[in-house]
């Protein structure tokens, strides 16, 4: 289930942000004591921030927001819808991230039809690279930032059409989804 953060997610958020495994390719974790001090009783809610809930417990988060790639990032991504994902390590390897991200992207497709989505990840982040490919993202470019090679991927509306799509069944040539 995808839902807003609730008070009962506080410990899972702290775990997610303090985990060195989760942050291996994200610049390192935040100190746990700082998180314990600063995290509000109910973790902050933001538009596009979704808790991934499995049987009543938070296993990760998905963020859909407008990209701000910064000075080292590709200017082409600025202002586009961006997908980000963080899951607790014990939830890796079951397909939960793929299922949850696909649902979030389906929601976006219904809400903003034709909206392209961008994604950034380190090329060394093999799990993330596999997930991005599974979700239909394709490489736009690679660039160096924060001492590592970064991958800029995009999922354009055209990617939604399978190889069998054609003008007669509403394929891209027909100008609609
Ligand atoms: C990136 C991340 C979300 C990927 O998680 P993940 O669990 O590997 O991703 P998926 O949901 O696609 O699961 C795929 C795995 O589930 C397995 N799986 C098991 N049952 C499955 C099922 N029923 N359906 C699909 N996959 C299944 C697949 O075989 C695959 O395992 P493998 O990688 O060992 O081959 C996770 O590693 C993570 O949170 N990393 C830290 C945060 C991060 O780096 N984010 C990127 C910055 S945007």
């Amino acid at each position: 289930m995808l839902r807003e953060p609730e008070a009962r997610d506080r410990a899972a958020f702290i775990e997610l942000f303090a985990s060195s495994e989760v942050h291996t390719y994200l610049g390192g974790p935040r100190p746990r004591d700082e998180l314990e001090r600063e995290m509000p009783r109910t973790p902050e809610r933001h538009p596009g921030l979704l808790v991934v809930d499995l049987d009543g417990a938070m296993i990760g988060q998905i963020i859909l927001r407008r990209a701000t790639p910064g000075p080292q990032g590709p200017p082409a991504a600025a202002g586009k819808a961006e997908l980000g994902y963080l899951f607790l390590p014990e939830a890796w390897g079951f397909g939960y991230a793929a299922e949850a991200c696909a649902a979030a992207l389906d929601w976006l497709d219904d809400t903003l039809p034709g909206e392209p989505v961008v994604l950034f990840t380190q090329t060394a982040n093999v799990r993330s690279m596999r997930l991005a490919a599974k979700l239909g993202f394709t490489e736009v470019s690679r660039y160096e930032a924060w001492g590592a090679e970064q991958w800029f991927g995009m999922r354009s509306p055209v990617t939604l059409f399978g190889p069998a799509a054609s003008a007669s069944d509403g394929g891209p040539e027909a100008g609609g989804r």
Side-chain angles (χ1 to χ4, degrees):
M1 180 193 285
L2 302 179
R3 58 166 173 80
E4 287 191 311
E6 293 173 4
R8 64 188 160 115
D9 304 321
R10 191 174 185 275
F13 269 111
I14 290 174
E15 195 52 44
L16 197 62
F17 298 147
S19 161
S20 45
E21 205 176 348
V22 170
H23 290 268
T24 306
Y25 304 103
L26 301 172
R30 284 184 58 191
R32 189 177 292 273
D33 56 345
E34 183 187 295
L35 287 162
E36 291 283 4
R37 246 188 349 263
E38 294 178 4
M39 176 90 54
R41 189 185 293 262
T42 299
E44 278 182 48
R45 296 175 170 178
H46 300 285
L49 170 60
L50 301 166
V51 162
V52 183
D53 178 316
L54 177 71
D55 298 334
M58 172 173 166
I59 59 163
Q61 72 165 34
I62 289 177
I63 296 187
L64 283 170
R65 63 183 163 201
R66 291 289 165 191
T68 49
Q72 299 181 86
K80 294 217 164 51
E82 177 188 353
L83 174 71
Y85 37 72
L86 297 183
F87 282 71
L88 291 166
E90 55 268 29
W92 298 1
F94 298 99
Y96 296 141
E99 182 179 340
C101 290
L105 290 169
D106 277 354
W107 172 83
L108 191 79
D109 289 339
D110 287 344
T111 309
L112 297 173
E115 183 83 6
V117 184
V118 300
L119 186 148
F120 302 97
T121 190
Q122 281 192 24
T123 52
N125 192 345
V126 172
R127 280 188 174 275
S128 178
M129 290 287 285
R130 276 207 296 261
L131 175 57
K134 226 182 296 179
L135 293 170
F137 287 86
T138 53
E139 181 172 323
V140 179
S141 63
R142 295 177 183 218
Y143 60 99
E144 285 292 315
W146 305 290
E149 186 182 58
Q150 311 291 328
W151 191 83
F152 167 30
M154 186 160 345
R155 176 182 176 273
S156 53
V158 173
T159 339
L160 296 172
F161 296 96
S166 69
S168 58
D169 61 19
E173 303 89 331
R177 289 183 62 210

